[in-house]
Amino acid sequence: MKNYSNGHVTIHDYFMMYFAKWKRVAVVLLAVWIVVTYLVISPLRCSGNSDEIPDVQERLKRMSSELEVLWQRNSKLIAQIKKSSGLNGNLKDLDPAFWNLEAGLGPSEEYENLRRRIHSNTKEFWYYANHELGKLMHESDKEAKIRAILEQLSDRKSTLLSDQEKLSEMDGYHEWRQLEAANVSDLVQRRLHYLQNPPDCREARKLICNLNKGCGFGCQLHHIVYCLIFAYATERTLILNSKGWRYNTKGWEYVFHPISESCLSSYDDKVVQWPVSYDAKVVSLPFIDSISQKPKFLPLAVPKDLAHRIVRFNGDPSSWWVGQMLKFVLKPRLPMQKAINDTIAKMNFKSPIVGVHIRRTDKVGTEAAFHHIHEYMAHVKDYYDQLELTRPVDVRRVYLATDDANVLDDARQKYPEYTFLGDPSIAKTAATHRRYTPLSLTGLLVDLHMLAMCDYLVCTFSSQVGRVAYEMMQSNRVDASNSFFSLDDIYYFGGQNAHDRVAIMQNHGGKNEDISFEVGDKIGVAGNHWNGYGRGTNKRTNMNGLIPWYKTADHLVLYPFPEYKQVPIYSETSQKNV
């Protein structure tokens, strides 16, 4: 590789090094496709049982067809790379708006979306292959062969994901993403501080949020987030009424710092219930579950003026935006922070570590299905197996948070090769009959803090605590969108507006209960089945059924929130450029 006399790599050499990495990924994709096709067909084509041949052949035909589609798609990606790079590596042939290499303005949206999409589709390929081949394992005399195929697929999947994660470290924008994420977060926090501390509290327009919702702490946190987003969108200072709070009757401000330094009262002004037909000075919000005329700025919407900055460093802007609200409100007072710190100090908490949240008790059988410990640990193992491709791991640590005190002992007995961190006393205080106490709240805050600090999170998004932990992760690092696995739901915000995906490839339905759609169709999604398919409704045809997940992409809702021009884009201490 050529260097300037000062030791810097030339743009040309950097570009060639970068595309060499992409070509390596393309070769591995080809190898995976060849191995899957050969290993599946070879051991099954001569089973000798004439009764099962038609059924096996039909499944193989369907699998081969799907694998061919996946291969064609990755071939298109390879073609895009070749078209962009060219044989002579001439940078003048590239679109400067796409790469921004010379401008120094960071990666384009197209580049970031492509990088994340390859990562996502590699996982979707694995979900599909794992599901389809897993079904064949139950057939006589084929289990060992199919298991070997799954093991090889798992190894290759880990290699692909590991290589692709390196892209963001090697593309020259790693520091830029860190700085941009910090700058945008700082801007949001300063805007919220401006909103919550008006020059004249008595004259300020206000929004009343009553913290008397009959639910757990995660649910109540999301209620405050909903109120704060509403206040931000309507330019009203949020007043939090929390006297008689079920976790501490003295109120939110006794445990956490108040959400305003100067404006905590609505005085004696008339309070009008939302929705209002005029610009009332003080408005009181109902719970999100019962709100009528639901505004479009509610989650999963993100501010239009910030969206094009956020998507360049984060893969899930909606949860990032919610995470910024949590960052603003979750500021424990000194006694609570000391209690949290003292508990953490007793644990040997250090990286690498995977956080696991197992919700049992009141959720199971009503809002969520029961999941055994091995379902969680399978994803913990996957994380560490992939990590060991790039670095040695001396101890496989797991922080286990649960509301069932027996789970921690069970995990230690069944998985002695892992070191489990956790406090059984926290699980005991999380039991249903002890949950709404100051001691329980301390334990819950410890669990949330620890889970959010982990390198990877395995949980159920049907649990509010699981979602809060993920949202907090989004607020303490550049991008946590690939740092979790949910055993059940995809990410959502309770009471949210519709969650849509957009078709980016055509699909001819009817094969596996999947629906047809055209490029550009919006599909309202009900969830991902983690087998290569999700369920949704085509909003153009109103057809409901399965959707091949890789043929769709998340539809990001942009809303024209106020831009708060009074707040500078950069603070005095912020750097504008790397």
Side-chain angles (χ1 to χ4, degrees):
M1 182 177 293
K2 296 178 181 179
N3 293 313
Y4 287 120
S5 58
N6 61 7
H8 291 166
V9 181
T10 67
I11 292 179
H12 175 273
D13 292 331
Y14 164 79
F15 184 78
M16 291 296 97
M17 176 182 68
Y18 172 79
F19 272 109
K21 192 69 177 176
W22 278 95
K23 291 172 182 176
R24 179 184 172 191
V25 172
V27 170
V28 176
L29 285 171
L30 174 60
V32 170
W33 182 74
I34 293 173
V35 169
V36 171
T37 304
Y38 176 79
L39 290 180
V40 171
I41 295 176
S42 179
L44 299 180
R45 62 185 178 185
C46 298
S47 64
N49 189 338
S50 59
D51 294 335
E52 69 177 359
I53 288 177
D55 182 54
V56 173
Q57 287 180 338
E58 176 60 28
R59 273 182 281 181
L60 288 175
K61 182 178 179 181
R62 185 171 69 251
M63 290 168 58
S64 178
S65 175
E66 290 288 342
L67 288 170
E68 180 66 26
V69 171
L70 287 170
W71 171 245
Q72 290 175 358
R73 186 181 178 283
N74 283 295
S75 296
K76 291 180 180 179
L77 292 176
I78 296 170
Q80 289 180 356
I81 293 169
K82 289 180 177 179
K83 181 179 179 181
S84 297
S85 62
L87 294 178
N88 60 358
N90 188 351
L91 289 175
K92 299 301 182 182
D93 295 334
L94 295 176
D95 180 3
F98 183 87
W99 293 103
N100 285 324
L101 286 173
E102 295 182 2
L105 299 177
S108 70
E109 291 179 46
E110 292 83 357
Y111 167 82
E112 285 298 281
N113 288 336
L114 181 62
R115 180 176 64 81
R116 293 174 188 134
R117 183 155 185 77
I118 293 175
H119 188 280
S120 174
N121 283 346
T122 302
K123 291 189 293 185
E124 292 298 328
F125 168 77
W126 165 245
Y127 296 151
Y128 174 80
N130 183 53
H131 178 72
E132 292 296 323
L133 295 178
K135 291 191 297 185
L136 292 179
M137 288 179 60
H138 300 291
E139 300 202 14
S140 60
D141 73 7
K142 298 183 179 67
E143 182 173 345
K145 297 175 183 177
I146 300 300
R147 190 176 299 279
I149 295 173
L150 290 175
E151 289 176 356
Q152 290 195 35
L153 279 172
S154 179
D155 289 342
R156 285 161 174 74
K157 179 261 302 185
S158 296
T159 301
L160 280 168
L161 294 179
S162 178
D163 281 349
Q164 290 162 27
E165 285 182 357
K166 294 176 186 175
L167 290 176
S168 62
E169 300 173 7
M170 299 178 64
D171 60 10
Y173 294 123
H174 181 67
E175 292 183 3
W176 179 89
R177 290 188 189 95
Q178 291 181 316
L179 185 59
E180 180 69 351
N183 282 341
V184 180
S185 176
D186 177 65
L187 174 59
V188 172
Q189 297 302 307
R190 287 185 290 109
R191 285 181 176 182
L192 289 170
H193 184 271
Y194 171 84
L195 174 69
Q196 288 301 107
N197 295 277
D200 187 343
C201 179
R202 181 175 289 276
E203 295 302 319
R205 297 161 69 246
K206 301 179 185 71
L207 186 73
I208 306 296
C209 182
N210 296 302
L211 192 58
N212 58 352
K213 193 171 186 180
C215 57
F217 183 67
C219 168
Q220 293 182 353
L221 267 184
H222 283 138
H223 176 57
I224 298 175
V225 167
Y226 146 70
C227 292
L228 188 55
I229 290 176
F230 210 111
Y232 185 96
T234 57
E235 295 183 273
R236 293 175 177 271
T237 299
L238 181 64
I239 305 296
L240 187 62
N241 286 341
S242 62
K243 297 298 181 184
W245 184 34
R246 65 192 313 182
Y247 281 96
N248 193 307
T249 56
K250 295 181 180 179
W252 175 271
E253 290 79 11
Y254 188 79
V255 181
F256 300 93
H257 288 286
I259 59 176
S260 174
E261 299 167 5
S262 61
C263 194
L264 301 173
S265 171
S266 59
Y267 297 96
D268 296 323
D269 292 329
K270 179 181 178 181
V271 178
V272 181
Q273 279 291 123
W274 179 274
V276 293
S277 57
Y278 63 98
D279 188 22
K281 186 176 180 181
V282 182
V283 174
S284 179
L285 270 186
F287 298 141
I288 195 171
D289 319 83
S290 57
I291 189 171
S292 60
Q293 302 179 24
K294 189 173 291 186
K296 293 182 179 180
F297 55 70
L298 294 182
L300 302 166
V302 297
K304 186 176 181 180
D305 69 309
L306 300 177
H308 295 293
R309 295 182 67 182
I310 300 170
V311 297
R312 296 170 76 189
F313 62 79
N314 195 281
D316 188 4
S318 298
S319 62
W320 181 92
W321 175 239
V322 172
Q324 292 303 308
M325 303 296 117
L326 287 175
K327 183 177 180 178
F328 186 80
V329 302
L330 271 181
K331 298 173 181 176
R333 285 190 178 273
L334 186 58
M336 175 61 76
Q337 189 62 56
K338 183 179 184 303
I340 294 172
N341 293 343
D342 290 346
T343 305
I344 293 173
K346 299 175 184 177
M347 303 180 188
N348 184 27
F349 187 93
K350 57 182 178 180
S351 184
I353 187 167
V354 176
V356 174
H357 177 249
I358 300 179
R359 181 70 185 270
R360 295 279 166 83
T361 63
D362 58 319
K363 284 280 185 178
V364 175
T366 56
E367 299 179 35
F370 181 91
H371 292 280
H372 292 276
I373 183 67
H374 72 265
E375 297 179 66
Y376 295 88
M377 292 305 295
H379 298 284
V380 175
K381 180 181 182 299
D382 280 350
Y383 172 81
Y384 277 115
D385 286 349
Q386 182 176 324
L387 184 63
E388 286 183 334
L389 294 175
T390 57
R391 55 172 288 188
V393 176
D394 56 344
V395 179
R396 292 191 168 200
R397 297 179 190 85
V398 178
Y399 181 83
L400 182 55
T402 179
D403 55 359
D404 184 348
N406 297 318
V407 172
L408 191 56
D409 288 338
D410 184 44
R412 286 170 174 159
Q413 291 175 8
K414 291 181 177 178
Y415 299 93
E417 66 273 27
Y418 291 86
T419 297
F420 288 90
L421 308 182
D423 188 341
S425 64
I426 293 179
K428 292 177 182 178
T429 63
T432 307
H433 64 288
R434 300 177 180 175
R435 185 165 296 170
Y436 303 108
T437 63
L439 184 61
S440 173
L441 179 59
T442 302
L444 182 51
L445 289 173
V446 169
D447 275 346
L448 282 172
H449 177 81
M450 301 294 266
L451 290 171
M453 293 302 294
C454 287
D455 301 295
Y456 194 78
L457 174 67
V458 183
C459 63
T460 51
F461 275 169
S462 59
S463 166
Q464 299 264 10
V465 172
R467 299 200 304 278
V468 169
Y470 169 56
E471 291 156 356
M472 290 174 65
M473 289 176 75
Q474 282 282 54
S475 71
N476 68 25
R477 64 199 70 188
V478 175
D479 187 2
S481 62
N482 285 320
S483 299
F484 75 93
F485 187 88
S486 166
L487 295 184
D488 50 20
D489 294 334
I490 57 177
Y491 175 76
Y492 69 95
F493 188 93
Q496 68 185 25
N497 285 314
H499 182 181
D500 295 337
R501 289 180 71 84
V502 177
I504 60 171
M505 298 174 65
Q506 185 184 54
N507 188 62
H508 299 291
K511 296 179 181 178
N512 299 308
E513 300 181 22
D514 55 328
I515 60 175
S516 298
F517 47 77
E518 302 294 331
V519 174
D521 282 353
K522 284 186 181 179
I523 302 170
V525 296
N528 191 328
H529 291 177
W530 311 119
N531 62 1
Y533 290 89
R535 178 167 290 277
T537 301
N538 187 329
K539 292 191 170 181
R540 178 177 59 83
T541 65
N542 206 35
M543 295 296 294
N544 177 274
L546 299 179
I547 56 172
W549 206 255
Y550 73 97
K551 292 187 176 182
T552 65
D554 251 332
H555 174 64
L556 185 60
V557 178
L558 307 182
Y559 183 83
F561 283 84
E563 297 185 14
Y564 293 91
K565 300 291 188 181
Q566 307 91 329
V567 180
I569 297 296
Y570 295 95
S571 65
E572 294 181 1
T573 58
S574 296
Q575 288 179 284
K576 298 182 180 180
N577 299 294
V578 176

